[in-house]
Amino acid sequence: VSTQSTWGFMKYIKGLIFAFLLFSPVLTIIPNLGHSGWVIALLWIVIALIMVFYIEYWARAECWYTCICRGIILDFRKTDSLMKWACNPVMWLAYTFILTAGVLTAVAKEGSLWHRISTGLLFVLGLLFVVFLTKSIVDLEGAARLQTVNLILEYFADPELLRAKGFKLIHETQLAAWQRSLKVNPKPFSWNDIFALSHDPAPQAAGFFWGVKTTGHLKKHKDLDE
């Protein structure tokens, strides 16, 4: 993945494709739900939340590319094993979506109890791709996203490994804390302030939506020598 596919217009095309892949399974079960408008609304709410996190995690990838151009490696929550990405809070939205759609399909299907259950289970199996779609969101440090630089430092357990080459590792919570500090104590922007941040996690969690706020601020200064 090049910087252009992250910063450029391709992110919008990928977002539309991602949304379509989420929406299309729901369209097949809507005619069978009758007047259960609240159920349909629940599915659309879950889909909307997944799309919100798609935008947020894409913004975090933009932050990474903006920082790497300044010699700053932004370290994220690790997702390099099954339990690490499967237990990510965003993944539970995918599980909720799949299970809800499966139950609704079984309830709306006419026939015997076994026929309904088997139809619901088959529909759930057909929706498992949603799990991997959502994984592609949260797996920021996967090889296809950030060129595995973060995982190299993680596996060697040496945050200073690339320091001699001019690269500094900082944790995402530190960058989020820096962004929050600007509201309390506004000051002129300087990349040196970000470079001085620590690679250790900050006491306060980064939060769910720090990426959109931070990338909007950093992109204003990505081409400036400050």
Side-chain angles (χ1 to χ4, degrees), residues 7 55-56 58-64 66-67 72 74 76 170-183 189 191 194 197 206-222:
W7 281 331
I55 296 171
E56 164 63 18
W58 198 281
R60 296 182 188 185
E62 288 184 326
C63 280
W64 189 90
T66 303
C67 289
I72 300 167
L74 188 57
F76 295 104
I170 68 170
H171 199 267
E172 61 175 344
T173 55
Q174 296 286 350
L175 186 61
W178 170 82
Q179 174 66 24
R180 289 193 297 268
S181 70
L182 296 180
K183 297 180 180 180
F189 179 87
W191 282 105
I194 300 178
L197 297 176
F208 283 112
F209 303 108
W210 66 268
V212 172
K213 299 177 182 178
T214 307
T215 193
H217 189 74
L218 294 181
K219 285 173 70 174
K220 297 177 184 177
H221 305 280
K222 68 183 181 72

Side-chain angles (χ1 to χ4, degrees), residues 116-129:
R116 290 184 175 188
I117 293 176
S118 59
T119 301
L121 289 175
L122 289 174
F123 195 78
V124 167
L125 290 175
L127 287 179
L128 287 181
F129 75 92

Side-chain angles (χ1 to χ4, degrees), residues 131-151:
V131 172
F132 297 101
L133 276 179
T134 311
K135 174 186 178 291
S136 70
I137 299 176
V138 302
D139 188 20
L140 279 175
E141 295 187 345
R145 296 298 292 274
L146 307 184
Q147 318 304 328
T148 71
V149 175
N150 294 53
L151 294 182

